[in-house]
Amino acid sequence: MESALYYKLSKEINENQVIKGEKYRITLLGEKMVRFEYSPSGKFQDHLTTMAINRKFDVPKYNLKIIDDVLHLETDYYELTYPINAPLELLRVKITGSNVDSYYYENEEYNLLGTYRTLDGINGSVPLDKGLFSLSGYTFIDDTNSAIFNDDGFIVEREKEEGYQDIYLFFFYDDYYGGLKEYAKLSGKTPLIPRYVLGNWWSRYYRYSEDTLKDLMLNFKKHNLPLSVCIIDMDWHITDVSEELGGGWTGYTFNKELFPNPPRMFSFLHDLNLKTALNLHPHAGIRYFDDAYPALANAMGIDPNSKQTVEFDIYNPKFAENYFKHVLHPYEEMGVDFWWIDWQQGTKTKFSDLDPLFQLNHLHYIDLDSRKRGLTFSRYPGLGGHRYPIGFSGDTLITFDSLAFQPYFTATASNVAYSWWSHDIGGHCHGKDEDELYIRWLQFGVFSPINRLHSTNNEFIIRAPFERKNPLPLEVAKSFMPLRHKLIPYIYTYAYKNYNEDIPLIRPIYYEYPQHNVAYKFKDEYFFGDQILVSPVITPIDSYLNTAVTKVYLPKGNYYNFFTNQHYKGNRQIYMYNDIFSMPVFVKEGSIIPLSVLEKDNQWENPRQMEVLIYGGKNNSFTLYEDDGLTNDYKNGESYQTFFNLKYTKKSINLSIRTSGNPSLIPQDRELILKFINIEPNTVIKKNIRDLIEVNYNEENKILTIRISNPEHKTTIALVNEKQIMCNRSLEFVKKNIIDFITGLDELVDVKQEVKHHLIDTDLTTLNEYQKAINKITVLPKKAKKALLDIVKQAF
């Protein structure tokens, strides 16, 4: 087999990690993890598994006693009690220092859950698989039936023994980041994804031709809607195939009626700065009419003249080697950048009881990664699947219930280190393709790991915003789709942190605030990196209020509205009222948010101009990470980093900037456009700024903009104000938000005028004064008065 398909792993462990008896073996995996095996024959499994690819760990301090044939193992984190040589059902667990008595390990409760293989055909939620974290302080994972890596580094079925058990216990408590780091030592790191995947994707199950696909891509360009990836679904290949030959879902030969010149098409897409993938349903094998058939058949010892199908047997090393060599590599040389593996044919094949999905994801990733930065686009194969990003969540129904489940589903996947879910934005099939639902899904997609527009082949399901009859989706898309590309520097930095520090982009709120009970209740809300808090709109607009109502939890601290810069106090729950053009997105005080300035079509590369949003209120630092975005040179440290350090007092802001690394990785004429948010107008720059190009102050928005050349040396911007440097705009936003709200109400003009008289034309400055004024309004129903009070409370 070619070396690219070997997975070089070491079974080595430290000898003193192991505690072994006649029928049991305990392997200590650092301080917070332990492996426990039971074998009636005393034969244990040394091979690494699809979940556990490293078992060499430092040995923690522990006390071991065996009293009356009962083993007692105690560490700083756990106590295990086990009747030696008994099945593991009798293993008892206790959290060290806990007042709770020990209990059988399988009684673990309150698991915070992980993720699920696919959302195919799901309307709403599904029961999720277990995760690595539990409110009980520990969890267990049964690894008994997972496949193993043989001595050649190829995934094979493990030898079965009746009664054999192989479990892992994780004692991570509420140390979510520490737990993920420990798990990465056991199960491998999440690799750094290519930069281009962080832009907007286009995908649709549709019978495109070369000309219609080109026209579509040019239409996106015409409407200034950036893309970075264009996927061609299964109709790229011949689909008119008899069922006797396996049907038309599988295919490896271009339909020349639709795509007469594939290299020309790939060149066109690449010239538009788009990467591309082709869809694969590989289960039916390679048939005699496929272009690759003669070479593959010969390699497999089949006479091509026999027209015998080369069966798809991905666990056969000989087939796997030749499948990549003769079937897929020629298309990659032609222009395919990666593959969409659309396996939907269950968890077994006729050749093996092993789930083909894990092997497909594994081999596709390591094969591509041997020549450039790896990428797999496929469904979730189980624990260990985080090593092969990106996940495709499947064919969801087009309903608000489906949308409502996805923020929770995406955030909770971090509990198994699965960081890069891609959903069918807009929903896939059935349901009702309403404009409001489409817009809300698109808004969520911009603040999700991957933003991929997709749907089934149905003329009544439209995903290109400019093709929808109502102009409203296009208007919103023109705001949100460019925003996604602007956010790439921010997201890519966290993609690197995901690889380097094992910290996911999307985090449940309880990752940051594990001691806050309320953080576990707001399941639809999540951190997008550690500076942005997102609460997607997942319910329809109230027809009377003409806004969607979202209950939001703001943890302790202070926050700013990402879109308006309104200030909010934290450590409370508030109601947000959003029209169709907005959604609740908040920035923590002290945040530093880098954004691309888009200067060319479909831009996803390191930008020439970088806009940096600086929110005062707290000291903070941020390290912007950049590299070539495409190769594996990042593994050798080839990168460029910009270090921002913010020092804040009530009367001053000091921002220092320095750079490090290989400057050839970024445009040589880079400029930084520093935007200081909510700055008092009489603020002054204390001293000269190195590399200064321009200073500008926007009186209306209270934004101070300082444009500088990219610093070769350390640069410091010092801002001072004799009274206070940041302005309090709370009352300004109260009046603006009330006007926006009553404008949208389904009410008579006279009613709106009365509300304006009480709340806008009167000089109100405290929450109590506003409450009294709202109570005086008799022409509005309770629902509207409650909304007005909620809007006012946001500012106090």
Side-chain angles (χ1 to χ4, degrees):
M1 178 180 297
E2 292 182 346
S3 60
L5 298 187
Y6 288 103
Y7 204 51
K8 296 300 183 183
L9 299 168
S10 172
K11 296 185 291 184
E12 180 184 357
I13 64 171
N14 292 313
E15 185 176 343
N16 53 356
Q17 285 180 245
V18 175
I19 302 167
K20 186 177 179 182
E22 180 185 353
K23 295 183 179 181
Y24 70 90
R25 182 170 71 169
I26 302 170
T27 306
L28 303 173
L29 304 167
E31 293 186 322
K32 298 183 179 181
M33 301 184 293
V34 59
R35 182 192 189 197
F36 221 119
E37 293 172 276
Y38 168 75
S39 170
S41 69
K43 184 179 180 181
F44 304 103
Q45 180 59 258
D46 292 329
H47 283 99
L48 298 167
T49 70
T50 50
M51 182 193 77
I53 64 169
N54 169 58
R55 299 195 191 101
K56 187 176 182 180
F57 283 78
D58 293 335
V59 181
K61 295 179 182 179
Y62 67 91
N63 292 317
L64 177 66
K65 298 177 183 179
I66 298 179
I67 303 173
D68 297 331
D69 290 332
V70 177
L71 180 148
H72 301 268
L73 175 65
E74 182 177 352
T75 75
D76 290 341
Y77 290 91
Y78 57 84
E79 300 173 22
L80 303 180
T81 305
Y82 170 64
I84 60 173
N85 298 321
L88 297 188
E89 284 79 7
L90 299 179
L91 171 66
R92 296 180 72 88
V93 174
K94 182 180 179 181
I95 304 298
T96 298
S98 170
N99 294 324
V100 179
D101 195 12
S102 65
Y103 42 87
Y104 295 113
Y105 83 92
E106 288 185 312
N107 290 348
E108 173 260 317
E109 296 180 296
Y110 311 118
N111 193 277
L112 292 170
L113 303 179
T115 193
Y116 195 68
R117 181 184 181 105
T118 179
L119 299 179
D120 283 325
I122 300 299
N123 180 22
S125 64
V126 294
L128 299 180
D129 296 337
K130 287 181 63 174
L132 305 175
F133 305 105
S134 170
L135 294 178
S136 63
Y138 91 99
T139 191
F140 74 93
I141 296 295
D142 190 340
D143 202 39
T144 303
N145 295 314
S146 64
I148 63 170
F149 289 93
N150 66 15
D151 291 337
D152 291 329
F154 203 75
I155 297 177
V156 298
E157 191 169 9
R158 73 163 76 190
E159 184 179 340
K160 301 291 185 183
E161 177 189 3
E162 186 174 353
Y164 173 80
Q165 295 170 283
D166 185 4
I167 68 165
Y168 288 76
L169 299 171
F170 301 123
F171 296 87
F172 296 146
Y173 298 75
D174 58 7
D175 181 12
Y176 302 109
Y177 294 126
L180 289 175
K181 185 171 284 294
E182 288 300 303
Y183 180 69
K185 296 176 185 176
L186 174 74
S187 193
K189 283 186 167 292
T190 301
L192 180 57
I193 55 178
R195 187 180 176 100
Y196 63 81
V197 305
L198 298 177
N200 301 307
W201 295 29
W202 173 258
S203 174
R204 188 186 181 193
Y205 177 26
Y206 187 79
R207 192 176 172 85
Y208 288 109
S209 68
E210 179 181 353
D211 290 338
T212 58
L213 186 63
K214 286 180 176 179
D215 288 344
L216 179 66
M217 293 300 100
L218 291 174
N219 249 324
F220 273 96
K221 177 181 177 180
K222 173 185 175 182
H223 288 91
N224 296 314
L225 300 173
L227 298 172
S228 61
V229 173
C230 174
I231 289 183
I232 308 175
D233 210 324
M234 58 173 285
D235 283 295
W236 70 271
H237 62 72
I238 297 170
T239 57
D240 186 12
V241 181
S242 68
E243 289 302 320
E244 290 80 4
L245 287 172
W249 284 90
T250 299
Y252 298 96
T253 300
F254 266 100
N255 183 333
K256 295 299 175 58
E257 293 182 4
L258 299 177
F259 299 100
N261 190 333
R264 180 178 64 200
M265 179 194 65
F266 289 133
S267 294
F268 172 84
L269 294 174
H270 289 156
D271 287 345
L272 285 179
N273 206 30
L274 299 171
K275 300 297 183 180
T276 189
L278 300 180
N279 174 279
L280 295 177
H281 291 89
H283 70 287
I286 295 84
R287 280 75 63 90
Y288 71 90
F289 54 81
D290 281 313
D291 291 343
Y293 178 78
L296 181 62
N298 281 321
M300 295 300 296
I302 297 173
D303 179 5
N305 294 321
S306 70
K307 296 186 178 181
Q308 176 186 340
T309 296
V310 180
E311 301 284 359
F312 188 79
D313 185 9
I314 198 63
Y315 280 104
N316 178 340
K318 182 178 179 181
F319 172 82
E321 174 188 355
N322 287 293
Y323 174 67
F324 283 95
K325 179 179 179 180
H326 297 295
V327 181
L328 302 186
H329 289 177
Y331 284 124
E332 293 173 23
E333 293 170 4
M334 190 184 295
V336 172
D337 295 292
F338 64 99
W339 297 94
W340 174 10
I341 307 155
D342 201 355
W343 181 268
Q344 295 173 292
Q345 284 70 42
T347 59
K348 298 180 181 180
T349 70
K350 62 183 178 181
F351 297 103
S352 172
D353 288 337
L354 290 178
D355 187 347
L357 184 60
F358 205 106
Q359 180 77 312
L360 280 165
N361 292 5
H362 171 72
L363 292 181
H364 269 273
Y365 187 89
I366 63 174
D367 175 73
L368 195 64
D369 197 58
S370 69
R371 300 185 304 285
K372 56 184 179 181
R373 195 176 302 183
L375 180 64
T376 297
F377 183 46
S378 182
R379 288 172 174 82
Y380 172 65
L383 290 172
H386 66 280
R387 299 191 298 271
Y388 320 115
I390 297 166
F392 157 57
S393 67
D395 302 341
T396 50
L397 272 62
I398 305 171
T399 65
F400 265 102
D401 286 340
S402 291
L403 168 60
F405 182 60
Q406 288 188 1
Y408 167 68
F409 178 80
T410 307
T412 306
S414 294
N415 291 341
V416 287
Y418 202 68
S419 312
W420 297 105
W421 267 125
S422 168
H423 306 300
D424 287 7
I425 296 301
H428 185 78
C429 56
H430 307 305
K432 190 175 181 181
D433 191 31
E434 300 172 304
D435 290 325
E436 182 188 359
L437 177 57
Y438 171 86
I439 289 170
R440 294 308 190 191
W441 225 316
L442 176 62
Q443 291 170 339
F444 163 62
V446 169
F447 289 94
S448 65
I450 304 295
N451 187 34
R452 177 179 53 88
L453 297 167
H454 184 67
S455 73
T456 192
N457 186 3
N458 186 314
E459 62 183 308
F460 299 107
I461 301 175
I462 307 299
R463 289 291 165 266
F466 44 80
E467 292 180 350
R468 300 181 74 92
K469 291 183 179 179
N470 188 333
L472 189 60
L474 177 59
E475 185 177 354
V476 176
K478 282 187 172 183
S479 172
F480 276 85
M481 288 183 69
L483 174 59
R484 175 67 186 198
H485 279 240
K486 292 177 183 178
L487 282 164
I488 288 177
Y490 177 83
I491 303 172
Y492 192 69
T493 293
Y494 285 99
Y496 177 73
K497 288 173 73 75
N498 191 193
Y499 157 74
N500 191 49
E501 302 175 30
D502 310 304
I503 298 175
L505 169 70
I506 305 293
R507 309 103 180 260
I509 308 176
Y510 52 78
Y511 274 36
E512 295 285 334
Y513 301 94
Q515 301 301 319
H516 294 203
N517 291 334
V518 68
Y520 295 85
K521 298 177 181 178
F522 279 75
K523 297 181 178 182
D524 309 319
E525 192 174 317
Y526 55 87
F527 277 99
F528 189 69
D530 54 19
Q531 302 190 105
I532 296 176
L533 180 66
V534 181
S535 183
V537 176
I538 54 176
T539 56
I541 280 177
D542 183 291
S543 58
Y544 170 71
L545 300 177
N546 203 26
T547 64
V549 185
T550 306
K551 189 177 183 181
V552 174
Y553 169 57
L554 294 178
K556 63 180 181 180
N558 291 289
Y559 297 82
Y560 296 92
N561 189 306
F562 179 77
F563 299 102
T564 68
N565 296 328
Q566 178 176 348
H567 169 262
Y568 304 84
K569 293 179 181 178
N571 198 27
R572 60 176 176 155
Q573 301 170 35
I574 63 174
Y575 286 92
M576 294 295 294
Y577 294 80
N578 291 92
D579 62 20
I580 197 66
F581 297 99
S582 64
M583 63 183 291
V585 179
F586 305 91
V587 181
K588 293 167 70 173
E589 62 181 341
S591 289
I592 301 165
I593 310 291
L595 303 173
S596 285
V597 175
L598 305 181
E599 296 186 292
K600 66 177 184 178
D601 297 324
N602 299 329
Q603 179 180 319
W604 52 263
E605 302 91 340
N606 299 331
R608 185 187 72 84
Q609 284 193 326
M610 184 89 69
E611 186 176 274
V612 184
L613 308 181
I614 297 112
Y615 300 82
K618 190 176 182 180
N619 296 343
N620 190 26
S621 62
F622 181 83
T623 302
L624 172 69
Y625 175 87
E626 297 171 282
D627 58 26
D628 63 26
L630 295 171
T631 75
N632 284 317
D633 289 348
Y634 75 92
K635 297 178 182 178
N636 301 320
E638 276 294 307
S639 65
Y640 187 80
Q641 298 181 67
T642 306
F643 303 90
F644 299 90
N645 191 49
L646 178 66
K647 298 293 184 182
Y648 170 82
T649 71
K650 184 179 180 181
K651 297 182 179 181
S652 68
I653 289 178
N654 280 269
L655 180 71
S656 64
I657 307 169
R658 65 179 180 88
T659 59
S660 177
N662 183 354
S664 68
L665 293 169
I666 67 165
Q668 296 306 295
D669 56 348
R670 168 166 291 174
E671 296 176 357
L672 299 180
I673 303 171
L674 309 171
K675 292 196 170 184
F676 296 84
I677 307 300
N678 287 349
I679 299 298
E680 284 283 4
N682 54 345
T683 294
V684 298
I685 299 173
K686 190 174 181 180
K687 61 180 181 179
N688 292 336
I689 300 173
R690 187 197 297 254
D691 305 314
L692 178 66
I693 299 175
E694 180 184 18
V695 176
N696 180 58
Y697 182 75
N698 186 304
E699 179 72 34
E700 179 181 358
N701 295 325
K702 304 296 188 291
I703 295 176
L704 174 64
T705 301
I706 300 175
R707 186 157 63 102
I708 64 172
S709 300
N710 194 58
E712 295 182 6
H713 309 283
K714 184 177 179 179
T715 295
T716 299
I717 292 93
L719 308 179
V720 294
N721 192 295
E722 292 183 357
K723 295 181 179 180
Q724 64 180 35
I725 195 161
M726 296 188 69
C727 49
N728 185 339
R729 304 172 64 195
S730 297
L731 294 179
E732 171 191 339
F733 276 109
V734 166
K735 293 184 180 293
K736 178 183 182 304
N737 294 342
I738 289 174
I739 287 290
D740 289 343
F741 176 75
I742 62 176
T743 300
L745 281 180
D746 185 15
E747 279 288 359
L748 298 173
V749 173
D750 291 346
V751 172
K752 295 181 181 182
Q753 191 62 40
E754 181 175 343
V755 176
K756 181 175 180 293
H757 168 71
H758 283 286
L759 300 181
I760 302 299
D761 299 338
T762 307
D763 187 20
L764 306 174
T765 59
T766 68
L767 177 59
N768 186 52
E769 289 173 349
Y770 270 106
Q771 287 176 319
K772 290 179 179 179
I774 291 171
N775 289 334
K776 292 178 182 178
I777 301 172
T778 60
V779 294
L780 286 180
K782 288 183 178 180
K783 178 164 62 173
K785 294 172 74 172
K786 178 187 180 300
L788 282 169
L789 184 57
D790 288 336
I791 290 170
V792 170
K793 285 180 178 179
Q794 293 173 9
F796 292 96

